[in-house]
Amino acid sequence: MSSEKIEDNIETKVYEPKKKQKKTLSFIWVLPLIILSILGWIAYESYTKKGTNITVTFKSAEGLKEGITPLEYKGLQLGKVTKIKINDLNSVKVNILVNSDVADFIAIEGSSFWIKKPTISLTKVSGLGTLLSGNKIEVLPKYNDLKKYENVKPKYEFEGLDTKPSLETNGNGYYVSILSNRADFVEIETPIFYNKFQIGEIVSKVFKDEQVYLKAYIYDRYNHLINSSSKFYMNKALNVNFGPGGVKLEVSSFYSALIGGINVLTLEKDAKKMQEDESYILYENKEELEEKTFLNLKFDTANGIGERTSIMYKGIEVGKIKEVHLNNNSVIAKAFVYKDYEYLLSENSKFYLNSVEVGIDGVKNLNTVVSGNFISVDYKKGKAKYFFEIQNKKINKEDDDLIITLNSKRLNSITKDSKIYYKNIPIGEVLDYTLSDDFKKVKISVLIKSKYKSLVNDKTMFYDISSRLIELKNFDFNINFSGVKPFLNGGISLINIGDSKSTTKTFKLYETYKEVDELKKLKTKGFVIDVYFDNSFELKAKQTINYKNQEIGYIKNIDFGEKESKVKMFIYNKYKKYIDKNSRFYKKNPIKFDASLGGVVFELDNLSSLLNGSINLDNSSKQKFSRYQIYASYDDMINSVNTLNVTFDDVEGLKTQFSKLVYKGVEVGKVTNISLTNKNKVLVKIQIFKDYDKFAKKGTIFYLKKPKISLNEIQNIGSTIMPVNIGVIPSFNKATNNRFVGLDSLEDVHANESGEILKVVSIEPTKINEEAPIYYKNVQIGKVNKIKLSFDGSKTYIYCLIYDKYKHFVRTNSTFHDISGFKMKFSLFSGTEIKTNTFTSLIKGGLMVVTPYDYNEVATTKNSFVLQKELKDGWENINPSIKIFD
């Protein structure tokens, strides 16, 4: 078949395309569909996560809010309060919707509920979030093992607890039951100490049957320190000591002084663990823990004797009187001695009634001041005995004791109970006294104990220390005080003005120490040095010079000048070796007071120094001086060579003598002076205790350690109670310097160390906060360091920290833009547009920096910028190539 026929047989068909009209859908119809989808999803979520309703009955609904108060477990929200109503006149019923995913663990038998409130104390701050949202309800499930929930019955009505449960079954730690007979001793969260370290706290307190039942929680890492041999007793916060140097009062810490605490003493490290169902006694003090042996004492009268009167042996307290009872014509006292001193209860031992030793020279036991007397023991070995008759103290003269006679114009307050003292130590006593044959003098017979008789020689001088406490004559004070006991019972003291033979047993008794002191100074050999002072304080002739609490000389005379005076200082020959080119002198401050969170120390010098002051020699300096100088105080002396000057803008909370210079938690100096400069700055003088060269370096940074409390952090909380301290960061620069510019806070330190501070001025109110980010091309290049109002309040100054590696991006013609929050544009036809930068800028606010193509030099702290309200369109297309060095 030919090709032409084939082509004729082929039928050609042409198909026409189907035409369909396209419909346009407006965005206005899409938006409702999106909204319906969202509402549907919300409805689905609400249905699937509806939760389970439970009710908890509390005594009060204070701080609870419907729809706001959460149900929490270990900080995780498990539900929310939906309704609060009155149950009866004594309680309220709180309806809680528990999340469905945890309802099986909460709405069951055994769950405990209580109201959590904010806690603020000296050692911790917790629950601060409740200050804004109100109180919270916390729950403690019954079990911490999921397998145990399989057979637990559900429960929907509960009785709320008054406080947090005492035992958390899923917590680590060691719980101990403690029994106390004092309801006012301990509160919840009272700390428990072991060797001054806190190892636990009281978590619950119940008053029952006139006793207090406490539950103590011992932290897991310390529970090995507590066992059945442990004893609990109350912490003693206050200690008072009397001594020849003055009065010292010490408080162990402000925390223990305010809320006390409980100490633990563990006797056996390998003893078995304590059982929680056993109660252990809380003792009032450590003394009650010691083993005792009891005895009875018989008195003719109980004058000056009472409960807690001390029993002393060789100056050591060995026991106390516990009870005193009247028995016919005598008084019977039940007493005890500590087990270690039980051997003193011998049939050959004797007990004597003595007057209490009271005075600046020593108080053996403060409680004996109340009872007025104490019991002393004269021990001799023998069989055990537990009943003794008290005898009056008698003088036991030995053959080698020294008997001398003192001649006095008058007896004054001296009695047969008067003691003889040498450096405030009793070395003898008055035996008797009588008038001389011509009745013009008083002859006093004195016994000096054999071991001290070598102190008496022909150059010994005796003086009365019992009368004329303070004598004012010709406007000159004469102080004659050596303690309360000599003042009350009379006393005689002695000094030696040189070595000599003992050929006489009759001496003159001088009426005051001043008479003896003047004679001593005239008869003692020495040499004179010239010393200068600046007339800013007062010195007197015959004022004593001390070195390490020893008198080494006195001021012989003073040559007063108009601006500076010269002192002739007489130094005894035996102390000549202590005077050299490093020597300095200062007038001692009679009162010392120091306070911190660690405690309070108060020291009072002797009364003589309190009125007249004393001059002290100091040889601690390594520097040699061209002449001798007397300074007004120890601080002035140290300041003359060991003082740094730091200038601050504002020093609120800084206190002279109380604020410390702190380096890595260690006090390395203190503030000695605060004053205003002529430029309205504050100049602070800081005395460095030691290592002065370490801190007197160029580049050393000083900053104020002010308290900071927020929901995120707590810093320097002690500064809210005590004065503000100064922190220091030493420099490695070799160049020395003693003048610095201080910073307001540690944040300012970080700012200075890590970048450049630029000032941005905002005319309108801004939502920007401190720590807000600063961006360049959506990369953070810095942060807002500080925000302040202008003086007239018309502008806001925003201080921006630009990090070092990015500061070349900011030029003098750069612009700063506010990108805080978010911006929303809505249109039915063009759609909805939401603009925001980052989540951080949404919360804290933020700034965006834009630098033009034709940029200027790098911005410095001298430049300032005006904050632009918003970014202009197309800013992201500005992409200059910026070089670090142009």
Side-chain angles (χ1 to χ4, degrees), residues 194-260:
Y194 184 93
N195 285 343
K196 297 185 179 181
F197 286 93
Q198 184 173 353
I199 63 169
E201 60 185 270
I202 298 298
V203 295
S204 71
K205 173 182 177 180
V206 178
F207 186 70
K208 183 180 179 182
D209 299 329
E210 298 185 356
Q211 289 185 319
V212 181
Y213 292 84
L214 306 170
K215 186 73 70 177
Y217 176 72
I218 308 301
Y219 304 142
D220 183 54
R221 61 185 180 275
Y222 297 124
N223 60 34
H224 66 280
L225 300 174
I226 307 298
N227 56 45
S228 57
S229 72
S230 297
K231 304 293 183 182
F232 300 87
Y233 63 94
M234 293 303 301
N235 182 34
K236 186 177 180 182
L238 178 66
N239 289 296
V240 181
N241 292 310
F242 294 82
V247 181
K248 180 180 288 188
L249 181 147
E250 294 187 16
V251 179
S252 58
S253 70
F254 276 114
Y255 185 45
S256 60
L258 291 175
I259 68 170

Side-chain angles (χ1 to χ4, degrees), residues 461 476-478 495 497 510 512-524 541-542 544 551 554 572:
M461 291 188 289
D476 184 25
F477 276 105
N478 175 25
I495 60 172
I497 61 173
Y510 295 91
T512 64
Y513 172 74
K514 184 176 181 180
E515 296 179 63
V516 173
D517 188 47
E518 291 178 353
L519 288 172
K520 172 187 173 183
K521 290 174 180 177
L522 292 174
K523 295 181 179 181
T524 305
K542 299 183 181 179
T544 58
E551 181 182 339
Y554 63 94
Y572 305 139

Side-chain angles (χ1 to χ4, degrees), residues 45-53 96-101 103:
E45 285 287 298
S46 300
Y47 177 78
T48 57
K49 298 183 179 181
K50 181 179 179 181
T52 302
N53 284 298
I96 302 173
L97 182 63
V98 181
N99 297 346
S100 58
D101 56 342

Side-chain angles (χ1 to χ4, degrees), residues 399-418:
D399 294 337
D400 53 351
D401 288 341
L402 176 65
I403 306 295
I404 59 175
T405 300
L406 304 180
N407 294 322
S408 175
K409 293 180 180 180
R410 56 182 65 86
L411 186 61
N412 295 325
S413 300
I414 295 173
T415 68
K416 292 182 180 180
D417 292 327
S418 298

Side-chain angles (χ1 to χ4, degrees), residues 239 331 395 619:
N239 289 296
V331 175
I395 299 173
N619 286 328

Side-chain angles (χ1 to χ4, degrees), residues 25 31 314 374 428 596 617 630 661 698 728 747 871 884:
L25 180 63
L31 184 62
K314 293 186 176 181
F374 70 95
S596 67
L617 166 65
I630 302 178
L661 181 67
K698 186 176 181 180
V728 59
E747 286 78 8
L871 283 165
I884 297 180

